[in-house]
Short mmCIF file of all heavy atoms in Angstrom, two decimals:
data_model
loop_
_atom_site.label_atom_id
_atom_site.label_comp_id
_atom_site.label_asym_id
_atom_site.label_seq_id
_atom_site.Cartn_x
_atom_site.Cartn_y
_atom_site.Cartn_z
N LEU A 512 13.13 14.34 -6.01
CA LEU A 512 13.45 14.87 -4.68
C LEU A 512 12.92 16.22 -4.48
O LEU A 512 12.96 17.00 -5.42
CB LEU A 512 14.92 14.85 -4.27
CG LEU A 512 15.42 15.04 -2.98
CD1 LEU A 512 15.13 13.85 -2.11
CD2 LEU A 512 16.82 15.49 -2.85
N VAL A 513 12.28 16.52 -3.31
CA VAL A 513 11.80 17.82 -3.01
C VAL A 513 12.57 18.39 -1.81
O VAL A 513 12.62 17.72 -0.77
CB VAL A 513 10.19 17.78 -2.63
CG1 VAL A 513 9.83 19.17 -2.14
CG2 VAL A 513 9.41 17.32 -3.87
N GLU A 514 13.12 19.56 -2.03
CA GLU A 514 13.88 20.18 -0.94
C GLU A 514 13.13 21.41 -0.39
O GLU A 514 12.68 22.25 -1.26
CB GLU A 514 15.25 20.66 -1.42
CG GLU A 514 16.06 21.37 -0.38
CD GLU A 514 17.38 21.84 -0.92
OE1 GLU A 514 17.93 21.28 -1.94
OE2 GLU A 514 17.94 22.78 -0.29
N ILE A 515 12.95 21.45 0.88
CA ILE A 515 12.17 22.59 1.53
C ILE A 515 13.00 23.17 2.62
O ILE A 515 13.58 22.49 3.41
CB ILE A 515 10.87 22.07 2.12
CG1 ILE A 515 10.02 21.38 1.06
CG2 ILE A 515 10.11 23.22 2.86
CD1 ILE A 515 8.71 20.68 1.58
N ASN A 516 13.30 24.44 2.43
CA ASN A 516 14.16 25.16 3.43
C ASN A 516 13.33 26.20 4.20
O ASN A 516 12.49 26.86 3.63
CB ASN A 516 15.25 25.90 2.71
CG ASN A 516 16.28 24.93 2.13
OD1 ASN A 516 17.18 24.35 2.79
ND2 ASN A 516 16.22 24.63 0.82
N LEU A 517 13.68 26.25 5.52
CA LEU A 517 12.95 27.15 6.45
C LEU A 517 13.87 27.88 7.42
O LEU A 517 14.82 27.29 8.01
CB LEU A 517 12.05 26.25 7.21
CG LEU A 517 11.24 26.91 8.36
CD1 LEU A 517 10.44 28.11 7.93
CD2 LEU A 517 10.45 25.97 9.13
N ASP A 518 13.76 29.10 7.45
CA ASP A 518 14.52 30.01 8.39
C ASP A 518 13.50 30.41 9.56
O ASP A 518 12.59 31.05 9.27
CB ASP A 518 15.02 31.21 7.71
CG ASP A 518 15.82 32.16 8.67
OD1 ASP A 518 15.78 31.88 9.97
OD2 ASP A 518 16.34 33.19 8.25
N LEU A 519 13.82 29.97 10.74
CA LEU A 519 12.91 30.17 11.90
C LEU A 519 13.12 31.57 12.53
O LEU A 519 12.33 32.07 13.38
CB LEU A 519 13.14 29.16 13.04
CG LEU A 519 12.87 27.71 12.68
CD1 LEU A 519 13.18 26.72 13.79
CD2 LEU A 519 11.43 27.50 12.30
N GLY A 520 14.07 32.34 12.01
CA GLY A 520 14.30 33.73 12.42
C GLY A 520 15.25 33.82 13.54
O GLY A 520 15.94 34.91 13.71
N GLN A 521 15.36 32.89 14.42
CA GLN A 521 16.29 32.77 15.53
C GLN A 521 16.51 31.33 16.00
O GLN A 521 15.76 30.40 15.46
CB GLN A 521 15.90 33.65 16.66
CG GLN A 521 14.67 33.14 17.41
CD GLN A 521 14.21 34.05 18.52
OE1 GLN A 521 13.64 35.10 18.32
NE2 GLN A 521 14.42 33.60 19.82
N VAL A 522 17.45 31.11 16.82
CA VAL A 522 17.70 29.81 17.30
C VAL A 522 16.75 29.38 18.30
O VAL A 522 16.40 30.09 19.31
CB VAL A 522 19.16 29.59 17.92
CG1 VAL A 522 19.35 28.29 18.62
CG2 VAL A 522 20.16 29.89 16.84
N PHE A 523 16.10 28.16 18.10
CA PHE A 523 15.09 27.66 18.99
C PHE A 523 15.49 26.11 19.38
O PHE A 523 16.21 25.47 18.61
CB PHE A 523 13.75 27.57 18.39
CG PHE A 523 13.02 28.87 18.18
CD1 PHE A 523 13.10 29.56 16.93
CD2 PHE A 523 12.36 29.50 19.27
CE1 PHE A 523 12.45 30.80 16.72
CE2 PHE A 523 11.80 30.74 19.04
CZ PHE A 523 11.85 31.42 17.84
N ASP A 524 14.84 25.71 20.44
CA ASP A 524 14.92 24.29 20.78
C ASP A 524 13.89 23.57 19.95
O ASP A 524 12.59 23.81 20.36
CB ASP A 524 14.83 24.00 22.27
CG ASP A 524 15.96 24.61 23.05
OD1 ASP A 524 17.16 24.21 22.72
OD2 ASP A 524 15.78 25.41 23.94
N VAL A 525 14.14 22.76 19.03
CA VAL A 525 13.16 22.06 18.18
C VAL A 525 12.93 20.77 18.61
O VAL A 525 13.81 19.98 18.81
CB VAL A 525 13.57 22.16 16.72
CG1 VAL A 525 12.58 21.40 15.73
CG2 VAL A 525 13.90 23.58 16.24
N ASP A 526 11.66 20.33 18.62
CA ASP A 526 11.29 18.96 19.12
C ASP A 526 10.92 18.08 17.88
O ASP A 526 11.56 17.09 17.71
CB ASP A 526 10.06 19.02 20.06
CG ASP A 526 9.77 17.70 20.67
OD1 ASP A 526 10.58 17.18 21.29
OD2 ASP A 526 8.61 17.20 20.41
N GLN A 527 10.00 18.49 17.08
CA GLN A 527 9.57 17.71 15.94
C GLN A 527 9.22 18.54 14.67
O GLN A 527 8.94 19.77 14.80
CB GLN A 527 8.20 17.03 16.28
CG GLN A 527 8.33 15.96 17.50
CD GLN A 527 6.94 15.32 17.69
OE1 GLN A 527 5.92 15.94 17.60
NE2 GLN A 527 6.98 14.10 18.16
N VAL A 528 9.22 17.89 13.56
CA VAL A 528 8.67 18.48 12.39
C VAL A 528 7.59 17.56 11.93
O VAL A 528 7.73 16.34 11.97
CB VAL A 528 9.74 18.59 11.22
CG1 VAL A 528 9.09 18.96 9.92
CG2 VAL A 528 10.83 19.58 11.57
N LYS A 529 6.47 18.19 11.56
CA LYS A 529 5.26 17.40 11.10
C LYS A 529 4.96 17.86 9.67
O LYS A 529 4.77 19.05 9.35
CB LYS A 529 4.04 17.64 12.00
CG LYS A 529 4.16 17.05 13.32
CD LYS A 529 2.82 17.27 14.14
CE LYS A 529 2.94 16.56 15.55
NZ LYS A 529 1.75 16.64 16.26
N ILE A 530 4.81 16.86 8.83
CA ILE A 530 4.40 17.06 7.47
C ILE A 530 2.96 16.52 7.18
O ILE A 530 2.78 15.30 7.40
CB ILE A 530 5.34 16.43 6.48
CG1 ILE A 530 6.79 16.93 6.66
CG2 ILE A 530 4.90 16.68 4.98
CD1 ILE A 530 7.85 16.19 5.78
N HIS A 531 2.06 17.40 6.98
CA HIS A 531 0.67 16.85 6.69
C HIS A 531 0.65 16.62 5.23
O HIS A 531 0.73 17.55 4.30
CB HIS A 531 -0.28 18.06 7.12
CG HIS A 531 -0.37 18.29 8.55
ND1 HIS A 531 -1.36 17.92 9.42
CD2 HIS A 531 0.62 18.93 9.39
CE1 HIS A 531 -1.04 18.31 10.56
NE2 HIS A 531 0.10 18.91 10.62
N THR A 532 0.33 15.37 4.88
CA THR A 532 0.39 14.93 3.47
C THR A 532 -0.74 13.94 3.20
O THR A 532 -1.61 13.84 3.88
CB THR A 532 1.83 14.29 3.15
OG1 THR A 532 1.91 13.96 1.77
CG2 THR A 532 1.87 12.98 4.01
N VAL A 533 -0.61 13.35 1.98
CA VAL A 533 -1.73 12.53 1.49
C VAL A 533 -1.16 11.41 0.57
O VAL A 533 -0.17 11.53 0.03
CB VAL A 533 -2.92 13.32 0.86
CG1 VAL A 533 -2.32 13.80 -0.55
CG2 VAL A 533 -4.17 12.42 0.55
N GLY A 534 -1.86 10.24 0.62
CA GLY A 534 -1.46 9.14 -0.23
C GLY A 534 -2.54 8.11 -0.29
O GLY A 534 -3.70 8.23 0.22
N GLY A 535 -2.27 6.94 -0.75
CA GLY A 535 -3.20 5.81 -0.99
C GLY A 535 -3.40 5.31 -2.29
O GLY A 535 -4.20 4.38 -2.52
N GLY A 536 -2.88 5.99 -3.27
CA GLY A 536 -2.94 5.37 -4.63
C GLY A 536 -3.83 6.20 -5.56
O GLY A 536 -3.80 5.92 -6.78
N ARG A 537 -4.80 7.08 -5.14
CA ARG A 537 -5.67 7.72 -6.06
C ARG A 537 -4.85 8.57 -7.09
O ARG A 537 -3.96 9.28 -6.69
CB ARG A 537 -6.56 8.58 -5.25
CG ARG A 537 -7.58 9.34 -6.18
CD ARG A 537 -8.65 10.01 -5.43
NE ARG A 537 -9.63 10.69 -6.26
CZ ARG A 537 -10.69 11.20 -5.96
NH1 ARG A 537 -11.10 11.17 -4.66
NH2 ARG A 537 -11.50 11.91 -6.75
N ALA A 538 -5.11 8.38 -8.38
CA ALA A 538 -4.53 9.05 -9.41
C ALA A 538 -2.93 8.95 -9.38
O ALA A 538 -2.19 9.77 -9.86
CB ALA A 538 -4.74 10.60 -9.41
N GLY A 539 -2.43 7.78 -8.81
CA GLY A 539 -1.04 7.53 -8.69
C GLY A 539 -0.38 8.28 -7.49
O GLY A 539 0.89 8.30 -7.46
N VAL A 540 -1.10 9.00 -6.68
CA VAL A 540 -0.56 9.74 -5.55
C VAL A 540 -0.29 8.88 -4.39
O VAL A 540 -1.22 8.26 -3.81
CB VAL A 540 -1.50 10.94 -5.23
CG1 VAL A 540 -0.90 11.65 -3.96
CG2 VAL A 540 -1.65 11.86 -6.37
N GLU A 541 0.89 8.79 -3.94
CA GLU A 541 1.20 7.95 -2.85
C GLU A 541 2.01 8.77 -1.79
O GLU A 541 2.45 9.99 -2.02
CB GLU A 541 2.23 6.84 -3.18
CG GLU A 541 1.60 5.87 -4.33
CD GLU A 541 0.57 4.91 -3.82
OE1 GLU A 541 0.21 5.06 -2.65
OE2 GLU A 541 0.26 3.99 -4.52
N TYR A 542 2.08 8.26 -0.57
CA TYR A 542 2.88 8.96 0.52
C TYR A 542 4.35 9.01 0.04
O TYR A 542 4.78 8.08 -0.64
CB TYR A 542 2.76 8.29 1.80
CG TYR A 542 1.32 8.23 2.34
CD1 TYR A 542 0.60 6.90 2.25
CD2 TYR A 542 0.64 9.23 2.67
CE1 TYR A 542 -0.63 6.75 2.77
CE2 TYR A 542 -0.64 9.04 3.18
CZ TYR A 542 -1.33 7.85 3.13
OH TYR A 542 -2.69 7.75 3.55
#
């Protein structure tokens, strides 16, 4: 499990979180 914590500095109205990642099986790396 990977835990990632983020402080935005103040309260905002948040719509989405996007994670830019990679997968597909090369060298055992999957999404």
Side-chain angles (χ1 to χ4, degrees):
L512 190 78
V513 175
E514 178 181 338
I515 302 173
N516 289 284
L517 170 62
D518 178 358
L519 298 175
Q521 67 183 73
V522 175
F523 288 100
D524 295 303
V525 177
D526 189 58
Q527 295 177 333
V528 171
K529 292 185 176 182
I530 303 175
H531 296 252
T532 186
V533 68
R537 179 169 181 174
V540 176
E541 303 285 8
Y542 304 108

